[in-house]
Amino acid sequence: MMSHATLLTRDVEVAAALVRQGELVAFPTETVYGLGADAFNPEAVRKIFEAKGRPLDNPLIVHIAEPAQLAALVQEVPETAQRFIDRFFPGPLTLVLPRHPAVPDEVTAGLPTVGVRMPRHPMAQAFLRACGIPVAAPSANRSGRPSPTRWEAVYADLNGRIACILQGDRSDMGLESTVVDCTGAEPLVLRAGAVPLEALQAVVPQTRLATPDDVRQARSPGTRYRHYAPQAQVILVDTPQAAQPHPQHAYIGLASPTHPEAFGLCCVCPDVATYAYELFDFFRRSDAAGCKRIYAQRVPRIGLGLALMDRLERAAAK
Ligand code: TXA
Ligand code: MG
């Protein structure tokens, strides 16, 4: 494990050269920051798990600059997947597809599938183009911590453990990509995310949310772990009136408490997209402020609300 300081840069060429040398580079995307390594270098990919403290049975998403790179990663592109590619690439959607045998087991955790995503963030695209190779990347946080939406959050978690952080702006969605398995007749959403289920169903109507009974869900081990969690206790409430005001309590939600100033931190969001954008950063700020409890208001499970509720429930899980 490295112990020297992590290089901070805005230069995508410098960052890409490090990836090609087998080093780890954190980079911005429109969802959250990713921690990237050369997807075809098993030794480099193993460093990701070490730096994050990530369980080895949790597969990584491979990031590409253009759909042409799919050929090296997958055995075939099913018809449903092609429709999602045409509509949502580049964007915050990860497709789980039959893997090409050349993809290292370190990336797929030995699964017969591989997750692939083409981000639309301009710096992510420039970086991936400069790399010229597919880049395996989970979110750039220590395992179990909230995903980073700013480079400063990556630095707080991983300084000294990775070679480089590409300093982009704040992630504009703040929630991870939607992961959809396209290996069967009906596409299955394994992880709700930045592309709403309804938007997928508008393209492929038989798309549905995976249930714990779905065999393919069992293959997405990431959904088993406690995740996205701050150090503070997270309590979900239906209304701000159910949140107990205290200087060491934080509140986030759509509706405002009667006395917002009675909370150590308070974030009232005008809509669900803003709530999603703020959530992980709010978790980190609450921890930094020493808050013991975070009250988070529930939202309806429609549109982005489905992914937001998923993250809130995982953060609140014991
Ligand atoms: O927005 C995102 O998806 C971010 C950015 C960096 O792209 N990445 C991200 O990666 O959130 P990570 O590793 O934190 O979450 C990836 C999720 C995990 O739940 C993992 O189990 C699942 O995707 N996954 C990856 N490959 C898979 C596969 N072959 N089959 C099923 N699930 C897979
Ligand atoms: Mg993650």
Side-chain angles (χ1 to χ4, degrees):
M1 179 61 49
M2 296 184 329
S3 55
H4 49 84
T6 296
L7 175 71
L8 302 177
T9 182
R10 295 179 192 281
D11 188 333
V12 294
E13 298 292 342
V14 168
L18 286 166
V19 167
R20 286 195 302 267
Q21 288 159 28
E23 299 293 343
L24 303 187
V25 173
F27 62 99
T29 83
E30 67 273 25
T31 57
V32 299
Y33 274 70
L35 178 60
D38 175 354
F40 286 105
N41 179 341
E43 210 175 300
V45 173
R46 277 196 293 270
K47 287 189 200 171
I48 292 178
F49 291 87
E50 203 183 324
K52 283 192 56 133
R54 181 180 176 103
L56 287 164
D57 66 350
N58 195 1
L60 304 177
I61 296 170
V62 179
H63 296 70
I64 56 176
E66 52 186 14
Q69 286 177 294
L70 273 173
L73 296 168
V74 308
Q75 202 112 55
E76 53 155 344
V77 177
E79 198 260 3
T80 54
Q82 190 58 53
R83 280 195 266 163
F84 289 137
I85 290 168
D86 294 343
R87 174 65 184 81
F88 297 107
F89 275 25
L93 182 68
T94 297
L95 300 178
V96 171
L97 301 167
R99 88 189 252 198
H100 192 289
V103 178
D105 280 335
E106 282 78 359
V107 172
T108 65
L111 294 175
T113 57
V114 61
V116 186
R117 154 158 138 79
M118 177 179 167
R120 68 165 171 241
H121 189 284
M123 196 184 242
Q125 288 201 348
F127 165 68
L128 293 169
R129 243 180 276 118
C131 287
I133 44 178
V135 172
S139 51
N141 50 285
R142 289 277 290 171
S143 202
R145 300 260 297 140
S147 295
T149 56
R150 306 172 181 266
W151 71 260
E152 292 90 339
V154 180
Y155 187 83
D157 276 17
L158 297 173
N159 179 34
R161 307 180 72 90
I162 64 177
C164 175
I165 297 173
L166 192 50
Q167 296 170 288
D169 48 8
R170 190 169 164 187
S171 298
D172 48 39
M173 309 212 65
L175 276 191
E176 299 86 348
S177 65
T178 302
V179 179
V180 56
D181 180 311
C182 296
T183 61
E186 331 176 277
L188 280 186
V189 172
L190 304 181
R191 178 180 71 180
V195 174
L197 176 61
E198 297 88 337
L200 297 175
Q201 287 170 334
V203 175
V204 181
Q206 62 272 36
T207 307
R208 63 178 177 87
L209 197 57
T211 67
D213 296 337
D214 282 307
V215 178
R216 283 183 281 163
Q217 176 73 30
R219 293 201 196 135
S220 197
T223 54
R224 281 203 308 265
Y225 303 109
R226 181 167 190 255
H227 248 104
Y228 320 109
Q231 270 127 45
Q233 179 191 16
V234 176
I235 299 172
L236 306 188
V237 294
D238 287 321
T239 66
Q241 286 66 46
Q244 189 192 341
H246 187 280
Q248 286 193 325
H249 293 176
Y251 170 84
I252 184 167
L254 296 175
S256 179
T258 318
H259 294 289
E261 71 287 350
F263 290 88
L265 275 177
C266 181
C267 183
V268 177
C269 308
D271 50 42
V272 170
T274 308
Y275 193 166
Y277 171 78
E278 296 286 357
L279 183 69
F280 290 146
D281 191 60
F282 187 77
F283 281 172
R284 285 175 178 266
R285 285 196 291 127
S286 300
D287 280 347
C291 292
K292 300 283 177 264
R293 265 187 214 174
I294 300 169
Y295 291 98
Q297 190 185 16
R298 292 189 184 91
V299 298
R301 284 173 216 265
I302 51 168
L304 258 190
L306 185 68
L308 185 55
M309 280 305 294
D310 171 76
R311 305 307 186 269
L312 289 174
E313 285 177 342
R314 285 174 198 282
K318 275 282 150 305

